[in-house]
Amino acid sequence: MSIAPGQGPDGPIKKSEIKTEVVAPREQKEAKLRRGAAVGDYIYIKKISGGKSDSWLGHHKDKPEEQLFIKRFNAPKYPLDAERVIDEKRYNLAIEACKSFEVIQETIMAKLRSELVGSGSLLQAVNFDRDESTYFKVYPFVKDVQTFAETDVRFWGNKQRVLFVRTLLLALSELHRRDVVHSDIKSANILVIRKPAGLVAKLIDFDDAYVSGNPPPVDQLGGDIFSPEMLVYEENDEEVLAKELTCASDLFSLAFVLHQKFSPKSQSPRWSDGEHSDDPGKKALLGLKPEFEDLGLGMPLLQSRIQQCLCLNPRERPTT
């Protein structure tokens, strides 16, 4: 359901409802955004979801006709000046972490600028900024779409499955051509877009992305779907293993997601050595091979390439 510009879920927003949000010191609980709140250049209309970030429907104060999707990050929080007096060392560490976060986000946004040719399969942020202690990102609002997680694919035929997989690989290749690792490939971060030719894919949520071979420190890693090399990176020396976290990591996650959605039993991939079946990190070190079910694509070569993406050694995986 779409909401008209200047409207809230319960009717028109009155000028009296528009108010600037004031963020309290860290010792106090931060003020909650409410319907009609004006923060910086944006009017917040309706909260969509929570979790590691709060998602809102809103618009720019000068363009009420253009609906926007606004994500407010719960972490990191930029420390307020009052906190410096309480604990200067902790304050400085927080500043350092925030500056690192800013560099990563701004670097990825620069690499994914929409004016670059072939960027139509990536839903890119139009702004990244900070409101007091809280960082936020602004995206175009896409109406009337589902995520891959919400989509029932049981009745998709071979042709539709192949079209979707190919457009998903195209989206990922646009990302990888710019040397960017998405790092959070999962069905909830893939939009299903209806086109005349059928249903196609669009990638979203680059908040956890990083430059290939240069991931953030372990304590700043995001993303829900792992790759074996990611687990090894978390458990061992960061400097030695950081270079192993490349675009190949996305391919493992992508094959994992396709297997979960398209296999008849909707199960995760299984590995041939049951002894270590609950420890992907050990699988990576042992070089075990996964067993793989048919994805209903009707194309043995494409099926084989997706299967190769589940190789535990990233160097043995194909490229997009």
Side-chain angles (χ1 to χ4, degrees), residues 6 101 305:
F101 177 75
R305 291 297 173 86

Side-chain angles (χ1 to χ4, degrees), residues 114-159:
S114 59
E115 62 263 29
L116 291 176
V117 176
S119 60
S121 297
L122 309 175
L123 185 63
Q124 303 168 49
V126 296
N127 191 20
F128 169 68
D129 207 341
R130 177 169 58 85
D131 158 42
E132 294 287 347
S133 63
T134 302
Y135 289 99
F136 66 90
K137 260 187 179 179
V138 182
Y139 293 87
F141 180 66
V142 183
K143 300 178 182 178
D144 304 321
V145 297
Q146 285 186 319
T147 66
F148 197 29
E150 299 167 319
T151 304
D152 186 350
V153 301
R154 289 176 298 172
F155 303 107
W156 284 14
N158 293 352
K159 183 178 179 181

Side-chain angles (χ1 to χ4, degrees), residues 41-182:
D41 292 333
Y42 299 98
I43 309 298
Y44 289 74
I45 305 302
K46 178 183 178 182
K47 188 172 183 179
I48 300 174
S49 64
K52 67 179 181 181
S53 60
D54 288 331
S55 301
W56 287 76
L57 180 67
H59 61 77
H60 192 279
K61 63 181 183 181
D62 297 328
K63 298 180 180 180
E65 71 283 359
E66 295 183 13
Q67 293 184 351
L68 299 170
F69 181 78
I70 307 172
K71 291 184 66 174
R72 293 174 63 85
F73 294 87
N74 291 333
K77 290 289 189 182
Y78 198 90
L80 303 178
D81 290 340
E83 298 178 55
R84 188 169 191 170
V85 179
I86 299 171
D87 190 334
E88 185 169 5
K89 182 178 180 180
R90 183 177 178 182
Y91 174 89
N92 291 334
L93 288 173
I95 290 288
E96 184 178 341
C98 287
K99 294 299 182 184
S100 174
F101 177 75
E102 291 173 9
V103 168
I104 292 174
Q105 297 299 323
E106 290 166 357
T107 297
I108 298 304
M109 285 185 64
K111 284 180 170 287
L112 301 181
R113 293 210 186 280
S114 59
E115 62 263 29
L116 291 176
V117 176
S119 60
S121 297
L122 309 175
L123 185 63
Q124 303 168 49
V126 296
N127 191 20
F128 169 68
D129 207 341
R130 177 169 58 85
D131 158 42
E132 294 287 347
S133 63
T134 302
Y135 289 99
F136 66 90
K137 260 187 179 179
V138 182
Y139 293 87
F141 180 66
V142 183
K143 300 178 182 178
D144 304 321
V145 297
Q146 285 186 319
T147 66
F148 197 29
E150 299 167 319
T151 304
D152 186 350
V153 301
R154 289 176 298 172
F155 303 107
W156 284 14
N158 293 352
K159 183 178 179 181
Q160 176 58 73
R161 291 186 181 212
V162 169
L163 173 64
F164 189 81
V165 170
R166 283 180 166 171
T167 56
L168 182 53
L169 289 170
L170 175 63
L172 198 57
S173 70
E174 291 177 4
L175 196 65
H176 290 178
R177 279 204 312 270
R178 295 158 196 173
D179 212 26
V180 173
V181 180
H182 186 286

Side-chain angles (χ1 to χ4, degrees), residues 242-298:
K243 62 183 180 181
E244 298 291 341
L245 294 187
T246 67
C247 295
S249 183
D250 280 345
L251 289 167
F252 183 94
S253 298
L254 177 65
F256 193 93
V257 167
L258 291 175
H259 192 280
Q260 286 182 314
K261 290 292 289 186
F262 284 157
S263 68
K265 297 179 181 178
S266 297
Q267 295 178 348
S268 301
R270 298 187 303 274
W271 274 260
S272 56
D273 187 340
E275 180 183 354
H276 301 292
S277 60
D278 61 343
D279 192 334
K282 290 183 179 178
K283 295 189 194 84
L285 296 174
L286 294 171
L288 304 179
K289 299 295 183 182
E291 299 171 355
F292 208 73
E293 294 183 12
D294 180 65
L295 298 181
L297 302 173

